[in-house]
Amino acid sequence: MLLVIFVLSEKSCGAVVYLRKCSEVLYLLLHYEAGHWDFVKGNVEVNEAEKETVVRELREETGITDAHFVEAFREKIDYYYRRQGETVHKEVIFYLMETSTETITISFEHVGSIWLNYSQALEKLTFKNARELLKKANQILNKK
């Protein structure tokens, strides 16, 4: 007997956003309604390129419009979750972005935000895959 399992698939894009303040690098974390701390991210819309999604989500979720991409950083994470009884495979592509905007306006999707240095952000992030992303981003920035 052959068992066929259909898995829904979703793609999102996001960013590890940072700014430099007094020679320190600070990372932006968002507090999601579900209780976790993570980076900016959202679903790719029809006919939207990855970087277009990132710019749109950053603007919608934080009000930041002056960020620019740091080359040599495009990381993929994927995981499975359940939605209305269905298993969904989620792929998220993350980029690294620098901004000079410290004051942000969070969207209805979030209950808070915070700028933290590397060690504080590493401790605050909820998920292991997000901590791994932060480690990779920090390595890139330390090489600059």
Side-chain angles (χ1 to χ4, degrees), residues 93-130:
I93 307 298
F94 281 95
Y95 290 89
L96 181 59
M97 297 185 82
E98 182 175 15
T99 184
S100 59
T101 301
E102 187 173 359
T103 304
I104 66 166
T105 306
I106 58 169
S107 73
F108 68 93
E109 299 174 69
H110 306 96
V111 294
S113 66
I114 193 165
W115 291 99
L116 296 171
N117 67 30
Y118 173 70
S119 59
Q120 294 167 326
L122 200 58
E123 191 173 307
K124 188 79 152 171
L125 285 165
T126 303
F127 301 117
K128 182 181 180 197
N129 56 13

Side-chain angles (χ1 to χ4, degrees), residues 48-86:
E48 191 174 51
E50 289 177 357
K51 286 185 176 181
E52 290 173 327
T53 300
V54 175
V55 169
R56 178 182 52 76
E57 287 293 334
L58 183 61
R59 183 185 69 250
E60 290 175 0
E61 294 185 359
T62 69
I64 293 174
T65 58
D66 73 334
H68 66 273
F69 291 94
V70 174
E71 296 307 316
F73 190 94
R74 181 187 180 274
E75 295 290 330
K76 180 178 93 166
I77 63 169
D78 59 329
Y79 54 89
Y80 292 88
Y81 74 95
R82 304 277 295 166
R83 182 181 61 213
Q84 299 172 338
E86 301 282 345

Side-chain angles (χ1 to χ4, degrees), residues 44 52 89 141:
V44 175
E52 290 173 327
H89 173 252
L141 295 178

Side-chain angles (χ1 to χ4, degrees), residues 125-143:
L125 285 165
T126 303
F127 301 117
K128 182 181 180 197
N129 56 13
R131 290 190 294 273
E132 293 302 317
L133 276 172
L134 180 61
K135 288 176 187 175
K136 290 177 182 179
N138 199 60
Q139 287 173 345
I140 295 279
L141 295 178
N142 284 334
K143 288 179 184 174

Side-chain angles (χ1 to χ4, degrees), residues 35-50:
H36 62 283
W37 287 89
D38 206 350
F39 301 112
V40 168
K41 69 175 182 245
N43 289 333
V44 175
E45 294 182 354
V46 177
N47 297 322
E48 191 174 51
E50 289 177 357

